[in-house]
Amino acid sequence: MAIGTDPAPRTYVRVTGSLSRRMIVVAALWIMLLLAGGGFALDRVLVSAVTRNTDDGLEYLLNSLIVSAEIDSTGEVTFNRQLSDQRFLEPYSGLYWQVSGPGHETWPSRSLWDRKLPVDRSRYTDVHIYDAKPFPDQKLRIVERDLTLPGSPTVWRFQVAESRDVLDGLIAALRKTLVRSFALLGLGLIVMATLQTWYGLLPLRAVRDAIARLRAGQSARVEGSMPAEVAPLVEELNALVEHNDKQAEEARRHAGNLAHALKTPLTVIMNASAAGQDDLADTVIREARTMRRQVDHHLARARAVGRRGSAHSRADVWESVEAVERAVARLYPNVRIDVDGKKDLIARIERQDLDEILGNLVENAAKYGGGSVFVTVRADAGFVELLVEDDGRGIPEADRLRIFDRGVRLDSGKPGTGLGLAIVRDVAEIYEGTASLEESEDLGGLLVRLRLPAA
C-alpha cells in the first residue's frame, strides 16, 4: 500500500443484489404474465366475436338465397328476386354464391365468372361453415346447406362464400390495437411499480442516512417519523445503540472506579517504601489484598456485563438454589438450610452469575445468622423473587443502604472482604433486577429480597 493512501473500506455484509431491482423485476414479470394471459383470452373472445358476426352475415345471405329459390318448368333452380348486394355482379369481387345439384349444371353468381366453388359428397342438412382456398389468390369463408325444393326430387346445395381478406383484415387491426393497448398498459404498470417500489423503500434510505449520521457522530439516535413496518426496526436499532452506549459508559465507569480503588493502596505502598518503614512487607501484603479484592469485584461485574448481551440468558432457579445449598452446607455443617417454593421458574440470567450472587447471600446468612437459613423461591409479576432469611441479629434500617457499598462490613469479627452484597447488587442491576434488605418476620433476622426478570 502506498504511503498516505487510505485503506479500502471493509465490507462486513455480502451483498446479494438490489432489493428494489428484485421487487421491480418480480412486479414486471407478474404484470407481463397477467397481461399475456389476459390479452390471449381477450384476443380469443374478440376474434370469435368478429368471426361469428361475419358468419351471421353470410348465413343471412344464404337464407335469403334459399328463400328466393324456386324450380322452373325445366326442373332447374331459379330466383324470384335477385340478391341486392352489388358484389355478386362484379367478377372476382370476393363475394359469391353458387347452386349445384346432382345431374344438373352448376349455377354460379356472376362474380365467380369462370370459377366454381368446391362441392364435396357430404350432406349438410344444417348450415355448414368452413374455410377453403379453391383459388390461388383467395382464401374463402364458405357457408353452405343442402335441401330439397318443392317440386324437385334433387338435393340442392346452396353456397355463399366471401373472401377472408376482409375478416383477416379486421382481426389484424383488432390485434394490432390490442397489442398496442396492452403494451402501453404494461409499460404504465411497470412504471407505477417502479415508482411504488422507490417510494415504498424511501424510509429504508432514510434509515440508512440516519445510521450514517449516527456513525459519523452527528446524531445520537435514529430520529424521525417512520411507517408502521419500519418503526419496530428503528426502535430496536435505537435500543441497540442505547444498550451499546450504556455498556460503554459502564466500562468507562468501571475503569475509573478500579483506577480510583487501586490508587489509594498504591499510594500507601509507595509512601511506605519511600519512608523506609520497618513494616513495609506487612503493608505491601495488606494493600495487595485490598487491590485483589477490588480487582475480583470488578472482574465479576465485567463478566456479568459481557454475558448480559446474550439473548439466551436463562437459568433454572431451583437447580441453582439446590447447588448453592449443598455447597454452603458443606462449609457450615452446623447451619440448617431449608428451601421452599416453585421448582419450575426460569430467570433471565446466566447460571454462573445466579450461582455467584445466590452463593453470596446464602453464605452470608449462614455466616452471620444464628444457625438457621430459609430460602424461598416464588414468581411475582414477571419476576422471579428469591427470599433469603436468617435468624441472626439482622441489620439496622439505617445501615441497609450503606451495607451495599464496596468494602463496608458491620461485623469485622468474622473474615470477609465486604464485597459480597455489593457484587449481588451490581450483578442484579446488570440483569435489570434488584436486591433489597428487610427484616424477617418468621426468623427475626435479616431478609434479602432478590428480584430477577423471569425468562
Side-chain angles (χ1 to χ4, degrees):
M1 180 184 299
I3 298 177
T5 60
D6 294 332
R10 298 170 63 185
T11 301
Y12 298 94
V13 178
R14 185 171 61 90
V15 178
T16 59
S18 170
L19 186 60
S20 300
R21 188 180 301 112
R22 289 183 183 181
M23 297 175 66
I24 293 172
V25 169
V26 170
L29 291 177
W30 184 244
I31 288 171
M32 288 189 291
L33 179 62
L34 289 180
L35 290 180
F40 177 78
L42 186 59
D43 174 77
R44 293 293 88 199
V45 171
L46 294 178
V47 168
S48 177
V50 172
T51 304
R52 186 169 58 253
N53 183 67
T54 301
D55 293 343
D56 290 343
L58 292 176
E59 189 174 351
Y60 173 78
L61 293 176
L62 179 65
N63 291 332
S64 299
L65 190 68
I66 294 173
V67 168
S68 62
E70 58 184 23
I71 302 297
D72 62 10
S73 57
T74 63
E76 296 292 338
V77 176
T78 185
F79 297 131
N80 53 29
R81 57 184 177 85
Q82 295 295 327
L83 299 180
S84 59
D85 198 314
Q86 185 67 25
R87 288 177 297 172
F88 286 123
L89 302 177
E90 299 176 3
Y92 311 134
S93 64
L95 184 62
Y96 317 106
W97 60 259
Q98 178 177 291
V99 179
S100 59
H104 297 270
E105 186 177 354
T106 301
W107 186 19
S109 65
R110 184 175 295 181
S111 56
L112 277 173
W113 199 247
D114 57 348
R115 295 175 173 177
K116 296 277 194 316
L117 296 179
V119 178
D120 57 24
R121 296 182 180 181
S122 301
R123 290 291 181 91
Y124 304 106
T125 57
D126 295 326
V127 175
H128 177 227
I129 303 175
Y130 65 100
D131 293 326
K133 193 175 182 181
F135 314 138
D137 56 345
Q138 278 188 339
K139 186 177 181 181
L140 302 179
R141 184 74 170 171
I142 302 175
V143 179
E144 60 186 16
R145 182 181 179 186
D146 295 332
L147 55 84
T148 302
L149 295 176
S152 174
T154 304
V155 177
W156 301 94
R157 173 165 295 184
F158 292 82
Q159 296 174 296
V160 175
E162 184 178 22
S163 174
R164 277 200 61 100
D165 293 344
V166 177
L167 178 60
D168 292 340
L170 289 174
I171 293 175
L174 180 65
R175 285 176 173 169
K176 186 176 181 181
T177 303
L178 195 63
V179 169
R180 289 180 176 179
S181 301
F182 272 60
L184 183 61
L185 178 60
L187 180 61
L189 291 175
I190 292 175
V191 171
M192 185 191 70
T194 302
L195 294 177
Q196 181 180 2
T197 301
W198 178 84
Y199 182 74
L201 296 180
L202 194 60
L204 294 181
R205 298 185 181 92
V207 172
R208 180 192 62 188
D209 296 338
I211 294 175
R213 291 193 298 270
L214 184 67
R215 187 163 60 90
Q218 300 175 359
S219 61
R221 53 183 290 131
V222 178
E223 299 177 346
S225 301
M226 295 292 171
E229 293 79 6
V230 182
L233 172 65
V234 175
E235 291 175 0
E236 292 296 328
L237 180 61
N238 286 331
L240 178 62
V241 172
E242 293 175 1
H243 173 75
N244 290 338
D245 290 343
K246 183 178 179 180
Q247 283 195 322
E249 181 60 29
E250 288 178 351
R252 287 192 294 268
R253 185 169 66 252
H254 296 333
N257 292 340
L258 180 59
H260 181 74
L262 297 180
K263 182 177 179 180
T264 299
L266 287 174
T267 302
V268 172
I269 292 174
M270 291 178 64
N271 291 339
S273 177
Q277 295 179 357
D278 296 335
D279 60 345
L280 177 61
D282 296 335
T283 301
V284 170
I285 293 174
R286 183 182 67 253
E287 299 302 325
R289 288 174 178 171
T290 302
M291 289 189 290
R292 181 178 179 180
R293 289 197 302 269
Q294 296 293 342
V295 169
D296 290 342
H297 168 71
H298 286 280
L299 285 177
R301 184 177 175 92
R303 286 194 300 268
V305 171
R307 290 191 290 262
R308 179 184 60 182
S310 174
H312 305 287
S313 297
R314 297 168 62 90
D316 189 308
V317 178
W318 191 260
E319 289 183 1
S320 180
V321 170
E322 288 185 329
V324 170
E325 185 268 334
R326 289 192 297 268
V328 176
R330 287 193 295 267
L331 294 175
Y332 300 91
N334 297 326
V335 177
R336 177 181 175 181
I337 304 175
D338 297 316
V339 295
D340 189 21
K342 301 188 67 174
K343 299 182 179 181
D344 58 347
L345 297 181
I346 305 296
R348 187 164 55 84
I349 185 174
E350 286 291 331
R351 172 66 184 272
Q352 180 179 347
D353 295 328
L354 179 59
D355 289 347
E356 183 174 358
I357 61 178
L358 193 57
N360 274 322
L361 295 179
V362 177
E363 183 179 359
N364 283 344
K367 182 190 301 182
Y368 298 105
S372 181
V373 177
F374 194 76
V375 181
T376 305
V377 181
R378 64 187 187 185
D380 181 36
F383 284 83
V384 175
E385 197 169 66
L386 296 100
L387 306 180
V388 181
E389 306 175 66
D390 62 62
D391 58 347
R393 293 180 300 173
I395 297 177
E397 187 174 356
D399 296 328
R400 289 175 186 171
L401 293 178
R402 187 171 63 90
I403 193 65
F404 281 110
D405 295 337
R406 292 187 300 273
V408 175
R409 299 175 60 204
L410 300 182
D411 185 1
S412 58
K414 295 184 178 181
T417 63
L419 293 175
L421 288 179
I423 291 176
V424 169
R425 180 198 60 185
D426 290 347
V427 175
E429 290 179 350
I430 287 173
Y431 287 99
E432 300 179 354
T434 60
S436 59
L437 304 182
E438 303 174 14
E439 182 179 351
S440 174
E441 296 180 358
D442 297 330
L443 301 182
L446 181 66
L447 183 150
V448 182
R449 187 184 301 272
L450 176 64
R451 288 170 59 86
L452 297 170

